Amino acid sequence: MPGPKENFDGEMASLRALQDKANEEYRAAMVEAETRLATLDQEHKDAMAEAKRQLEKIEHEKAIAESNVKLKEHVKEYAKAMEESERKIRNLERERNAIEAYTREHRKEMEEAQARIDRLSHAKAMADVGNRIDALEHERAMREADRKIAALGHDAAMAEADENMRKLDWP
């Protein structure tokens, strides 16, 4: 029978062999775990990259949607501004038409007033001419009367002058 020392050495060798085997299994498990971990890490990185691409795509689509909403709002604002501008233009056109109608009416009134002024000026000129003719006829009649007075004598000339005055309807 083997002695305690031999037994101990055998047990120690057996324990070392068991430890070596456990170490080998541990190393193999670690290599396998590291391989699986590397694969999982790569899969995780790939999944994260895909998730990031998907997120960027979603954010891009969201930005496009927000831009579309803003663009639609701008289009609505532009349409309102255009309607307001068109309304103002219509109002200005109505005002312009009213001003043009007033101007035509005023021009017509001015032309009529000028025609009246022209007629009145002509009538006044004609009256002035008539008055001047009357004054010249009166002067001529007075010179004629003076000549006759000198030729016929005062009494006869005065009677004739009175007669001429009655003919002229002179006051």
Side-chain angles (χ1 to χ4, degrees):
M1 154 134 242
K5 184 172 178 166
E6 293 162 353
N7 237 358
F8 177 77
D9 286 339
E11 281 294 322
M12 283 304 286
S14 171
L15 283 175
R16 272 191 211 109
L18 188 61
Q19 185 179 10
D20 288 343
K21 183 179 174 184
N23 282 341
E24 189 58 37
E25 286 175 359
Y26 173 77
R27 274 192 286 267
M30 287 303 290
V31 167
E32 185 179 327
E34 285 177 7
T35 303
R36 286 188 72 211
L37 186 59
T39 303
L40 287 174
D41 186 49
Q42 187 59 45
E43 287 175 2
H44 175 72
K45 286 178 182 175
D46 291 345
M48 289 302 290
E50 180 61 25
K52 185 177 178 183
R53 280 191 297 276
Q54 289 293 327
L55 181 61
E56 288 172 351
K57 181 180 176 184
I58 290 170
E59 287 175 348
H60 181 69
E61 289 172 357
K62 179 184 172 190
I64 289 172
E66 289 173 351
S67 293
N68 285 340
V69 168
K70 288 179 183 177
L71 182 61
K72 286 179 183 177
E73 289 174 3
H74 287 304
V75 167
K76 285 179 184 177
E77 290 173 11
Y78 177 76
K80 285 179 184 177
M82 288 301 294
E83 287 174 6
E84 179 67 17
S85 294
E86 288 172 359
R87 186 187 63 75
K88 287 179 180 179
I89 288 171
R90 285 190 303 273
N91 287 342
L92 289 173
E93 285 175 349
R94 280 195 295 274
E95 288 179 19
R96 184 191 70 207
N97 291 338
I99 289 169
E100 287 174 351
Y102 174 78
T103 302
R104 282 190 302 272
E105 185 179 317
H106 182 68
R107 187 175 295 127
K108 184 179 176 185
E109 289 174 359
M110 290 299 292
E111 288 170 356
E112 290 172 358
Q114 186 61 47
R116 281 194 305 266
I117 289 169
D118 292 345
R119 283 192 306 274
L120 289 173
S121 294
H122 180 71
K124 183 180 180 298
M126 292 307 289
D128 288 346
V129 167
N131 289 340
R132 183 69 181 140
I133 289 172
D134 288 346
L136 288 173
E137 285 178 357
H138 178 68
E139 261 184 60
R140 186 178 57 78
M142 290 304 289
R143 277 194 307 272
E144 184 67 25
D146 286 344
R147 189 179 56 74
K148 284 185 181 178
I149 288 173
L152 295 174
H154 182 61
D155 288 339
M158 285 305 285
E160 190 177 331
D162 286 341
E163 183 62 30
N164 285 338
M165 295 270 278
R166 276 192 293 281
K167 286 180 186 175
L168 291 174
D169 197 25
W170 198 262

